[in-house]
Amino acid sequence: LEETEFNINELIRDSIEKLEPRFKEKDISVDIVFFEKDTIVKADEDKIRRVFHNLVDNALKFTDVSGNIKIETALKNNNKIT
């Protein structure tokens, strides 16, 4: 693992932007709610990016045309982002 500190919100925004053509294809809207404006996490950024991409990719596959996907960050136990 290559743990670094990075802004998870930027990672989410960047990932959604890259998948925007697929959202438009299926007329799917995306609602994003961030716990804080900037949320810094310590993790392996590349691995988190891949996991997040796979989650959104699955959401796109299984959301009906003209559907909606909601993405939200929140603090949970021990101040961990979920």
Side-chain angles (χ1 to χ4, degrees):
L1 290 176
E2 278 193 45
E3 288 188 348
T4 59
E5 289 187 359
F6 61 95
N7 187 335
I8 191 76
N9 298 351
E10 287 178 14
L11 182 145
I12 291 169
R13 278 189 214 99
D14 186 48
S15 297
I16 296 301
E17 277 183 27
K18 288 179 180 167
L19 291 167
E20 190 172 351
R22 293 190 49 211
F23 284 101
K24 287 183 177 181
E25 245 176 56
K26 289 183 73 176
D27 190 34
I28 293 175
S29 62
V30 183
D31 294 328
I32 303 174
V33 179
F34 294 124
F35 174 73
E36 294 179 335
K37 181 180 175 192
D38 293 314
T39 305
I40 306 302
V41 297
K42 185 175 182 178
D44 188 316
E45 186 173 358
D46 289 332
K47 288 188 179 10
I48 296 297
R49 188 176 301 278
R50 275 186 247 138
V51 167
F52 185 75
H53 179 86
N54 289 340
L55 287 170
V56 175
D57 185 58
N58 285 338
L60 279 164
K61 286 179 190 173
F62 297 107
T63 299
D64 293 330
V65 172
S66 299
N68 178 269
I69 296 172
K70 183 173 183 177
I71 299 167
E72 185 173 350
T73 61
L75 277 183
K76 293 289 181 173
N77 300 335
N78 299 328
N79 293 329
K80 300 205 183 213
I81 299 294
T82 59

